Coordinates of all heavy atoms in Angstrom, one line a residue:
M1 N -35.7 49.3 12.6 CA -36.5 48.1 12.7 C -35.7 47.0 13.5 O -34.6 46.7 13.2 CB -36.9 47.5 11.4 CG -38.2 46.8 11.5 SD -38.8 46.4 9.8 CE -38.5 44.7 9.6
S2 N -36.4 46.5 14.5 CA -35.7 45.4 15.3 C -36.5 44.2 15.3 O -37.7 44.2 15.2 CB -35.4 45.9 16.7 OG -36.6 46.1 17.4
I3 N -35.8 43.1 15.5 CA -36.5 41.8 15.6 C -37.0 41.6 17.0 O -36.2 41.7 18.0 CB -35.6 40.6 15.2 CG1 -35.1 40.8 13.8 CG2 -36.3 39.3 15.4 CD1 -33.9 40.0 13.4
P4 N -38.3 41.3 17.2 CA -38.8 41.1 18.6 C -38.2 39.9 19.2 O -37.9 38.9 18.5 CB -40.3 41.0 18.4 CG -40.5 40.6 17.0 CD -39.4 41.1 16.2
P5 N -37.9 39.9 20.5 CA -37.3 38.7 21.1 C -38.2 37.6 21.1 O -39.4 37.8 21.3 CB -37.0 39.2 22.5 CG -37.9 40.4 22.8 CD -38.1 41.0 21.4
R6 N -37.7 36.4 20.9 CA -38.6 35.2 20.9 C -38.9 34.8 22.3 O -38.0 34.8 23.2 CB -37.9 34.1 20.2 CG -37.8 34.3 18.7 CD -37.3 33.0 18.1 NE -37.0 33.3 16.7 CZ -36.8 32.3 15.8 NH1 -36.9 31.0 16.2 NH2 -36.6 32.6 14.5
K7 N -40.1 34.5 22.5 CA -40.5 34.0 23.9 C -40.6 32.5 23.9 O -41.1 31.9 22.9 CB -41.8 34.7 24.3 CG -41.6 36.1 24.6 CD -42.8 36.7 25.4 CE -42.5 38.1 25.8 NZ -43.8 38.9 25.9
L8 N -40.1 31.9 24.9 CA -40.2 30.5 25.1 C -41.5 30.2 25.9 O -41.5 30.6 27.1 CB -38.9 30.0 25.8 CG -38.8 28.5 25.9 CD1 -38.7 27.8 24.5 CD2 -37.5 28.2 26.7
S9 N -42.4 29.6 25.3 CA -43.6 29.2 26.0 C -43.3 28.1 27.0 O -42.3 27.4 26.8 CB -44.7 28.8 25.0 OG -44.4 27.5 24.5
L10 N -44.2 28.0 28.0 CA -44.0 26.9 29.0 C -44.0 25.6 28.3 O -43.2 24.7 28.6 CB -45.1 27.0 30.0 CG -45.1 26.0 31.1 CD1 -43.7 26.0 31.9 CD2 -46.2 26.1 32.1
E11 N -45.0 25.4 27.4 CA -45.1 24.2 26.7 C -43.8 23.8 26.0 O -43.3 22.6 26.1 CB -46.2 24.3 25.7 CG -46.6 22.9 25.0 CD -47.5 23.1 23.9 OE1 -48.0 24.2 23.6 OE2 -47.9 22.1 23.2
N12 N -43.2 24.8 25.3 CA -41.9 24.5 24.6 C -40.8 24.2 25.5 O -39.9 23.4 25.2 CB -41.6 25.6 23.6 CG -42.4 25.5 22.3 OD1 -42.9 24.4 22.0 ND2 -42.7 26.6 21.7
A13 N -40.8 25.0 26.6 CA -39.7 24.8 27.6 C -39.8 23.3 28.2 O -38.8 22.7 28.3 CB -39.9 25.8 28.7
L14 N -41.0 22.9 28.4 CA -41.2 21.5 29.0 C -40.7 20.5 27.9 O -40.0 19.5 28.2 CB -42.6 21.2 29.3 CG -43.1 22.0 30.6 CD1 -44.6 21.7 30.8 CD2 -42.3 21.5 31.8
R15 N -41.0 20.8 26.7 CA -40.6 19.9 25.6 C -39.1 19.8 25.5 O -38.5 18.7 25.3 CB -41.2 20.3 24.3 CG -41.2 19.3 23.2 CD -41.9 19.7 21.9 NE -43.4 19.8 22.2 CZ -44.2 20.8 21.7 NH1 -43.6 21.7 20.9 NH2 -45.4 20.8 21.9
L16 N -38.5 20.9 25.6 CA -37.0 21.0 25.6 C -36.4 20.1 26.7 O -35.4 19.4 26.5 CB -36.5 22.4 25.7 CG -36.6 23.2 24.4 CD1 -36.2 24.6 24.6 CD2 -35.7 22.6 23.3
T17 N -37.0 20.2 27.9 CA -36.4 19.5 29.0 C -36.6 18.0 28.9 O -36.0 17.2 29.5 CB -37.0 20.0 30.4 OG1 -38.4 19.8 30.4 CG2 -36.7 21.4 30.6
L18 N -37.6 17.6 28.0 CA -37.8 16.2 27.8 C -37.0 15.6 26.7 O -37.0 14.4 26.5 CB -39.3 15.9 27.5 CG -40.3 16.1 28.7 CD1 -41.7 15.9 28.3 CD2 -39.9 15.1 29.8
D19 N -36.2 16.4 26.0 CA -35.5 15.9 24.9 C -34.4 14.9 25.2 O -34.0 14.2 24.3 CB -34.8 17.1 24.2 CG -35.8 17.7 23.1 OD1 -36.8 17.0 22.8 OD2 -35.5 18.7 22.6
A20 N -34.0 14.8 26.5 CA -33.0 13.8 26.8 C -33.5 12.4 27.0 O -32.8 11.5 27.4 CB -32.3 14.3 28.1
E21 N -34.8 12.2 26.8 CA -35.4 10.9 27.0 C -34.7 9.9 26.0 O -34.4 10.3 24.9 CB -36.9 10.9 26.7 CG -37.7 11.7 27.8 CD -37.8 10.9 29.1 OE1 -37.4 9.7 29.1 OE2 -38.1 11.5 30.1
P22 N -34.6 8.6 26.3 CA -35.0 8.1 27.6 C -34.0 8.4 28.7 O -32.8 8.1 28.5 CB -35.1 6.6 27.4 CG -34.1 6.3 26.3 CD -34.1 7.6 25.4
W23 N -34.4 9.0 29.7 CA -33.6 9.3 30.8 C -34.4 9.2 32.1 O -35.5 9.6 32.2 CB -33.0 10.8 30.7 CG -32.1 11.1 31.8 CD1 -30.7 10.9 31.9 CD2 -32.4 11.7 33.1 NE1 -30.2 11.3 33.1 CE2 -31.2 11.8 33.8 CE3 -33.6 12.2 33.7 CZ2 -31.2 12.4 35.1 CZ3 -33.6 12.7 34.9 CH2 -32.4 12.8 35.6
L24 N -33.8 8.6 33.1 CA -34.5 8.5 34.4 C -33.5 8.9 35.5 O -32.3 8.6 35.4 CB -34.9 7.1 34.7 CG -36.1 6.5 34.0 CD1 -36.2 5.0 34.5 CD2 -37.3 7.3 34.3
S25 N -34.0 9.5 36.5 CA -33.1 9.7 37.7 C -33.1 8.4 38.5 O -33.9 7.5 38.3 CB -33.7 10.9 38.6 OG -34.9 10.4 39.2
C26 N -32.2 8.3 39.4 CA -32.1 7.1 40.3 C -33.4 7.0 41.1 O -33.9 5.9 41.3 CB -30.9 7.2 41.2 SG -29.3 6.9 40.3
D27 N -34.0 8.1 41.5 CA -35.3 8.1 42.2 C -36.4 7.5 41.4 O -37.2 6.7 41.8 CB -35.7 9.5 42.7 CG -34.9 9.9 43.9 OD1 -34.2 9.1 44.5 OD2 -34.9 11.1 44.3
D28 N -36.5 8.0 40.1 CA -37.5 7.4 39.2 C -37.2 5.9 39.0 O -38.2 5.1 39.0 CB -37.3 8.1 37.8 CG -37.7 9.6 37.9 OD1 -38.5 10.0 38.8 OD2 -37.2 10.3 37.0
C29 N -36.0 5.6 38.8 CA -35.6 4.2 38.6 C -36.1 3.3 39.8 O -36.7 2.3 39.7 CB -34.1 4.1 38.4 SG -33.6 2.4 38.2
F30 N -35.8 3.8 41.0 CA -36.1 3.1 42.2 C -37.6 2.9 42.3 O -38.1 1.8 42.8 CB -35.6 3.9 43.5 CG -35.8 3.2 44.8 CD1 -35.0 2.2 45.1 CD2 -36.8 3.6 45.6 CE1 -35.2 1.5 46.3 CE2 -37.0 2.9 46.8 CZ -36.2 1.9 47.2
E31 N -38.4 3.9 41.9 CA -39.9 3.7 41.9 C -40.4 2.7 41.0 O -41.5 2.1 41.2 CB -40.5 5.1 41.6 CG -40.5 6.0 42.8 CD -41.0 7.4 42.5 OE1 -41.6 7.5 41.4 OE2 -40.9 8.3 43.3
Q32 N -39.7 2.5 39.9 CA -40.2 1.6 38.8 C -39.5 0.3 38.7 O -40.0 -0.6 37.9 CB -40.1 2.4 37.5 CG -40.9 3.6 37.4 CD -40.6 4.4 36.1 OE1 -40.3 3.8 35.1 NE2 -40.6 5.7 36.2
V33 N -38.4 0.1 39.4 CA -37.6 -1.1 39.2 C -38.3 -2.4 39.6 O -38.1 -3.4 38.9 CB -36.2 -1.0 39.9 CG1 -36.3 -1.1 41.4 CG2 -35.2 -1.9 39.3
D34 N -39.2 -2.3 40.6 CA -40.0 -3.5 40.9 C -40.8 -4.0 39.7 O -40.8 -5.2 39.4 CB -41.0 -3.2 42.1 CG -40.3 -3.0 43.4 OD1 -39.1 -2.7 43.4 OD2 -41.0 -3.0 44.4
R35 N -41.5 -3.1 39.1 CA -42.3 -3.4 37.9 C -41.5 -4.0 36.8 O -41.8 -5.0 36.1 CB -43.1 -2.2 37.5 CG -44.2 -2.4 36.5 CD -45.3 -1.4 36.5 NE -44.7 0.0 36.6 CZ -44.6 0.8 35.5 NH1 -44.9 0.4 34.3 NH2 -44.1 2.0 35.7
Y36 N -40.3 -3.4 36.6 CA -39.4 -3.8 35.6 C -38.9 -5.2 35.8 O -38.9 -6.1 35.0 CB -38.2 -2.8 35.5 CG -37.2 -3.1 34.4 CD1 -37.4 -2.7 33.1 CD2 -36.0 -3.8 34.7 CE1 -36.5 -3.0 32.1 CE2 -35.1 -4.1 33.7 CZ -35.3 -3.7 32.4 OH -34.4 -4.0 31.4
V37 N -38.5 -5.5 37.1 CA -38.0 -6.8 37.4 C -39.1 -7.9 37.3 O -38.9 -9.0 36.8 CB -37.4 -6.8 38.8 CG1 -37.2 -8.2 39.4 CG2 -36.1 -6.1 38.9
E38 N -40.3 -7.5 37.7 CA -41.5 -8.4 37.5 C -41.6 -8.8 36.0 O -41.8 -10.0 35.7 CB -42.8 -7.7 37.9 CG -43.3 -8.1 39.3 CD -44.5 -7.2 39.7 OE1 -45.3 -6.9 38.8 OE2 -44.5 -6.9 40.9
R39 N -41.5 -7.8 35.1 CA -41.7 -8.1 33.7 C -40.5 -8.9 33.2 O -40.7 -9.8 32.4 CB -41.7 -6.8 32.9 CG -43.0 -6.0 33.2 CD -43.1 -4.8 32.3 NE -44.2 -3.9 32.6 CZ -44.6 -2.9 31.9 NH1 -43.8 -2.5 30.8 NH2 -45.6 -2.2 32.2
V40 N -39.3 -8.6 33.6 CA -38.1 -9.4 33.2 C -38.3 -10.8 33.6 O -38.1 -11.7 32.8 CB -36.9 -8.8 33.8 CG1 -35.7 -9.8 33.7 CG2 -36.5 -7.5 33.2
M41 N -38.8 -11.0 34.8 CA -38.9 -12.4 35.3 C -40.1 -13.1 34.7 O -40.1 -14.4 34.7 CB -39.0 -12.4 36.8 CG -37.7 -11.8 37.4 SD -37.4 -12.1 39.2 CE -37.0 -13.9 39.1
A42 N -41.1 -12.4 34.2 CA -42.2 -13.0 33.6 C -41.9 -13.6 32.2 O -42.5 -14.5 31.7 CB -43.4 -12.0 33.4
G43 N -40.7 -13.1 31.7 CA -40.2 -13.7 30.4 C -40.8 -13.1 29.2 O -40.4 -13.5 28.1
G44 N -41.8 -12.3 29.3 CA -42.4 -11.7 28.1 C -41.7 -10.4 27.7 O -40.6 -10.1 28.2
P45 N -42.3 -9.6 26.9 CA -41.8 -8.3 26.5 C -41.7 -7.4 27.7 O -42.6 -7.3 28.5 CB -42.8 -7.7 25.5 CG -43.8 -8.7 25.3 CD -43.7 -9.8 26.3
V46 N -40.5 -6.7 27.9 CA -40.3 -5.9 29.1 C -40.7 -4.5 28.9 O -41.4 -3.8 29.7 CB -38.9 -6.0 29.6 CG1 -38.6 -5.1 30.8 CG2 -38.5 -7.4 29.9
G47 N -40.4 -3.9 27.7 CA -40.7 -2.5 27.5 C -39.8 -1.7 28.4 O -38.7 -2.0 28.7
M48 N -40.3 -0.5 28.8 CA -39.7 0.4 29.7 C -38.2 0.7 29.3 O -37.3 0.4 30.1 CB -39.7 -0.2 31.1 CG -41.1 -0.5 31.6 SD -41.2 -1.4 33.2 CE -40.8 0.0 34.4
P49 N -38.0 1.2 28.1 CA -36.6 1.4 27.6 C -35.8 2.4 28.4 O -34.6 2.3 28.5 CB -36.9 1.9 26.1 CG -38.3 2.4 26.1 CD -39.0 1.6 27.1
A50 N -36.5 3.4 29.0 CA -35.8 4.4 29.8 C -35.2 3.7 31.0 O -34.1 4.0 31.4 CB -36.7 5.5 30.2
L51 N -35.9 2.8 31.6 CA -35.4 2.1 32.8 C -34.2 1.2 32.4 O -33.2 1.1 33.1 CB -36.5 1.3 33.5 CG -36.2 1.1 35.0 CD1 -37.4 1.3 35.8 CD2 -35.5 -0.2 35.2
R52 N -34.4 0.5 31.3 CA -33.3 -0.4 30.9 C -32.0 0.4 30.6 O -30.9 0.1 31.0 CB -33.7 -1.2 29.6 CG -32.7 -2.3 29.3 CD -33.0 -2.9 27.9 NE -32.6 -1.9 26.8 CZ -31.3 -1.7 26.4 NH1 -30.4 -2.5 26.9 NH2 -31.1 -0.9 25.5
A53 N -32.2 1.6 29.9 CA -31.1 2.5 29.6 C -30.4 2.9 30.9 O -29.2 3.0 31.0 CB -31.5 3.7 28.8
H54 N -31.2 3.2 31.9 CA -30.7 3.7 33.2 C -29.9 2.5 33.8 O -28.8 2.8 34.3 CB -31.8 4.1 34.1 CG -31.3 4.7 35.4 ND1 -31.0 6.0 35.6 CD2 -31.0 4.1 36.6 CE1 -30.5 6.2 36.8 NE2 -30.5 5.1 37.5
L55 N -30.4 1.3 33.8 CA -29.6 0.2 34.4 C -28.3 0.0 33.7 O -27.3 -0.4 34.4 CB -30.5 -1.1 34.4 CG -31.7 -1.1 35.3 CD1 -32.4 -2.4 35.2 CD2 -31.4 -0.7 36.7
V56 N -28.3 0.2 32.4 CA -27.0 0.0 31.7 C -26.0 1.0 32.1 O -24.8 0.7 32.2 CB -27.3 0.1 30.1 CG1 -26.0 0.1 29.4 CG2 -28.1 -1.1 29.7
G57 N -26.4 2.2 32.4 CA -25.5 3.3 32.7 C -25.3 3.5 34.2 O -24.4 4.3 34.6
C58 N -26.1 2.9 35.1 CA -26.0 3.2 36.5 C -25.7 1.9 37.3 O -26.6 1.1 37.5 CB -27.3 3.9 37.0 SG -27.2 4.3 38.7
A59 N -24.5 1.8 37.8 CA -24.1 0.5 38.5 C -24.9 0.3 39.7 O -25.2 -0.8 40.1 CB -22.6 0.6 38.8
A60 N -25.2 1.4 40.5 CA -25.9 1.3 41.7 C -27.3 0.7 41.5 O -27.7 -0.2 42.2 CB -26.0 2.6 42.4
C61 N -28.0 1.3 40.5 CA -29.4 0.8 40.3 C -29.4 -0.6 39.7 O -30.2 -1.4 39.9 CB -30.1 1.8 39.4 SG -30.5 3.3 40.2
A62 N -28.3 -0.9 38.8 CA -28.2 -2.2 38.2 C -28.0 -3.3 39.3 O -28.6 -4.4 39.3 CB -27.1 -2.3 37.2
E63 N -27.2 -2.9 40.3 CA -27.0 -3.8 41.5 C -28.3 -4.0 42.2 O -28.6 -5.1 42.7 CB -25.9 -3.2 42.4 CG -25.4 -4.2 43.5 CD -25.0 -5.5 42.9 OE1 -24.3 -5.6 41.9 OE2 -25.5 -6.5 43.5
E64 N -29.1 -2.9 42.4 CA -30.4 -3.0 43.1 C -31.3 -4.0 42.3 O -32.0 -4.8 42.9 CB -31.0 -1.6 43.1 CG -32.4 -1.5 43.7 CD -32.4 -1.7 45.2 OE1 -31.4 -1.3 45.9 OE2 -33.4 -2.1 45.8
A65 N -31.3 -3.9 41.0 CA -32.2 -4.7 40.2 C -31.7 -6.2 40.3 O -32.6 -7.1 40.4 CB -32.2 -4.2 38.7
R66 N -30.4 -6.4 40.3 CA -29.9 -7.7 40.4 C -30.3 -8.4 41.7 O -30.7 -9.5 41.8 CB -28.4 -7.8 40.2 CG -27.9 -7.9 38.8 CD -26.4 -8.2 38.7 NE -25.6 -7.1 39.2 CZ -25.2 -6.1 38.4 NH1 -25.5 -6.1 37.1 NH2 -24.4 -5.2 38.9
S67 N -30.2 -7.6 42.8 CA -30.6 -8.1 44.1 C -32.0 -8.5 44.1 O -32.4 -9.5 44.7 CB -30.3 -7.0 45.2 OG -29.0 -6.6 45.2
L68 N -32.9 -7.6 43.5 CA -34.3 -7.9 43.4 C -34.6 -9.2 42.7 O -35.4 -10.1 43.2 CB -35.1 -6.8 42.7 CG -35.7 -5.7 43.5 CD1 -36.3 -4.7 42.6 CD2 -36.8 -6.3 44.4
V69 N -33.9 -9.4 41.6 CA -34.1 -10.7 40.8 C -33.7 -11.9 41.7 O -34.4 -12.9 41.8 CB -33.2 -10.7 39.5 CG1 -33.1 -12.1 38.9 CG2 -33.8 -9.7 38.5
L70 N -32.5 -11.8 42.4 CA -32.1 -12.9 43.2 C -33.1 -13.2 44.3 O -33.3 -14.3 44.6 CB -30.7 -12.5 43.8 CG -29.5 -12.5 42.8 CD1 -28.2 -12.0 43.4 CD2 -29.3 -13.9 42.1
L71 N -33.6 -12.1 44.9 CA -34.6 -12.3 46.0 C -35.8 -13.0 45.5 O -36.3 -13.9 46.1 CB -34.9 -10.9 46.5 CG -35.5 -10.8 47.9 CD1 -34.4 -11.0 48.9 CD2 -36.2 -9.4 48.1
V72 N -36.4 -12.5 44.4 CA -37.6 -13.0 43.9 C -37.4 -14.5 43.4 O -38.2 -15.4 43.6 CB -38.2 -12.2 42.7 CG1 -39.4 -12.8 42.0 CG2 -38.5 -10.8 43.2
A73 N -36.2 -14.7 42.7 CA -35.9 -16.1 42.3 C -35.8 -17.0 43.4 O -36.3 -18.2 43.3 CB -34.6 -16.0 41.4
A74 N -35.2 -16.6 44.5 CA -35.1 -17.5 45.7 C -36.5 -17.7 46.3 O -36.8 -18.9 46.7 CB -34.2 -16.8 46.7
D75 N -37.3 -16.7 46.3 CA -38.7 -16.9 46.8 C -39.5 -17.9 46.0 O -40.2 -18.7 46.5 CB -39.4 -15.5 46.8 CG -39.4 -14.8 48.1 OD1 -38.7 -15.3 49.0 OD2 -40.0 -13.7 48.3
D76 N -39.3 -17.7 44.7 CA -40.1 -18.5 43.8 C -39.4 -19.9 43.5 O -40.0 -20.7 42.8 CB -40.3 -17.8 42.4 CG -41.2 -16.6 42.6 OD1 -41.7 -16.4 43.7 OD2 -41.3 -15.8 41.6
G77 N -38.2 -20.1 43.9 CA -37.5 -21.3 43.7 C -37.1 -21.5 42.2 O -37.2 -22.6 41.7
V78 N -36.8 -20.4 41.5 CA -36.4 -20.5 40.1 C -35.0 -20.1 39.9 O -34.4 -19.4 40.8 CB -37.3 -19.7 39.2 CG1 -38.8 -20.2 39.3 CG2 -37.2 -18.2 39.5
D79 N -34.4 -20.4 38.8 CA -33.0 -20.1 38.5 C -33.0 -18.6 38.1 O -33.7 -18.2 37.1 CB -32.5 -21.0 37.3 CG -31.1 -20.6 36.9 OD1 -30.4 -19.9 37.6 OD2 -30.7 -21.1 35.8
P80 N -32.2 -17.8 38.8 CA -32.2 -16.3 38.5 C -31.4 -16.0 37.2 O -31.5 -14.9 36.7 CB -31.5 -15.7 39.7 CG -30.7 -16.8 40.2 CD -31.4 -18.1 39.9
A81 N -30.6 -16.9 36.7 CA -29.6 -16.6 35.6 C -30.3 -16.0 34.4 O -29.8 -15.0 33.9 CB -28.8 -17.8 35.3
P82 N -31.4 -16.6 33.8 CA -32.0 -16.0 32.6 C -32.5 -14.6 32.9 O -32.3 -13.8 32.0 CB -33.1 -17.0 32.3 CG -32.9 -18.3 33.1 CD -32.1 -17.9 34.3
S83 N -33.1 -14.4 34.0 CA -33.6 -13.0 34.3 C -32.4 -12.0 34.5 O -32.5 -10.9 34.1 CB -34.4 -13.1 35.6 OG -35.6 -13.9 35.4
L84 N -31.3 -12.5 35.1 CA -30.2 -11.6 35.3 C -29.6 -11.2 33.9 O -29.3 -10.0 33.7 CB -29.1 -12.3 36.1 CG -29.4 -12.5 37.6 CD1 -28.3 -13.3 38.3 CD2 -29.6 -11.1 38.3
R85 N -29.6 -12.1 33.0 CA -29.2 -11.8 31.6 C -30.1 -10.8 30.9 O -29.7 -9.9 30.2 CB -29.0 -13.1 30.8 CG -27.7 -13.8 31.0 CD -27.5 -14.8 29.9 NE -28.5 -15.9 29.8 CZ -28.5 -17.0 30.6 NH1 -27.5 -17.2 31.4 NH2 -29.5 -17.9 30.5
R86 N -31.4 -11.0 31.2 CA -32.4 -10.2 30.5 C -32.5 -8.8 31.1 O -33.1 -7.9 30.5 CB -33.8 -10.8 30.7 CG -34.1 -11.9 29.6 CD -35.3 -12.7 29.9 NE -36.5 -12.0 30.3 CZ -37.4 -11.5 29.3 NH1 -37.1 -11.6 28.1 NH2 -38.5 -10.9 29.7
L87 N -32.0 -8.6 32.3 CA -32.1 -7.2 33.0 C -31.6 -6.1 32.1 O -32.3 -5.1 32.0 CB -31.2 -7.2 34.2 CG -31.9 -7.6 35.5 CD1 -30.9 -7.4 36.7 CD2 -33.2 -6.8 35.8
T88 N -30.5 -6.3 31.4 CA -29.9 -5.2 30.6 C -29.7 -5.6 29.2 O -29.1 -5.0 28.4 CB -28.6 -4.7 31.2 OG1 -27.7 -5.9 31.4 CG2 -28.8 -4.0 32.5
A89 N -30.3 -6.8 28.8 CA -30.3 -7.2 27.4 C -31.1 -6.3 26.5 O -32.1 -5.8 26.9 CB -30.8 -8.6 27.3
P90 N -30.6 -6.0 25.3 CA -31.4 -5.1 24.4 C -32.7 -5.7 24.0 O -32.8 -6.9 24.0 CB -30.4 -4.8 23.3 CG -29.3 -5.7 23.4 CD -29.3 -6.4 24.7
Ligands
ZN1 ZN1 -29.4 4.9 39.1

């Protein structure tokens, strides 16, 4: 008597590959960082924990986000400092 090999269904395979969440690639981050910065600068709840986690761990994307904040703040004539602090604040 032998044990039949277990098959990994596509659904379970996809679930396994999602286990590293929150995780974003730099491309994903780039696509969403505008929205993230908008929320940060609006001063309300930001959400998007995967993006925040990415910014904490990725200097290149964090720099991109900081540049966006500085740009928008200059456009709007507001102080960028609070938003810069909120970018990666828990
Ligand atoms: Zn990145």
Side-chain angles (χ1 to χ4, degrees):
M1 206 169 104
S2 65
I3 299 166
R6 291 189 188 192
K7 289 198 176 150
L8 187 61
S9 70
L10 178 61
E11 189 191 357
N12 282 335
L14 288 174
R15 193 173 295 142
L16 283 173
T17 60
L18 287 176
D19 271 350
E21 292 288 346
W23 182 87
L24 282 181
S25 70
C26 288
D27 284 347
D28 294 335
C29 181
F30 186 75
E31 282 174 12
Q32 298 175 32
V33 73
D34 288 18
R35 190 154 45 97
Y36 183 82
V37 165
E38 262 173 35
R39 291 186 186 185
V40 164
M41 298 196 73
V46 177
M48 304 175 75
L51 204 139
R52 193 190 70 80
H54 185 89
L55 292 184
V56 170
C58 180
C61 288
E63 189 51 46
E64 176 76 26
R66 272 194 292 274
S67 300
L68 264 176
V69 168
L70 291 173
L71 201 75
V72 175
D75 265 5
D76 294 354
V78 299
D79 180 10
S83 297
L84 289 174
R85 277 194 299 273
R86 276 165 52 80
L87 268 184
T88 52

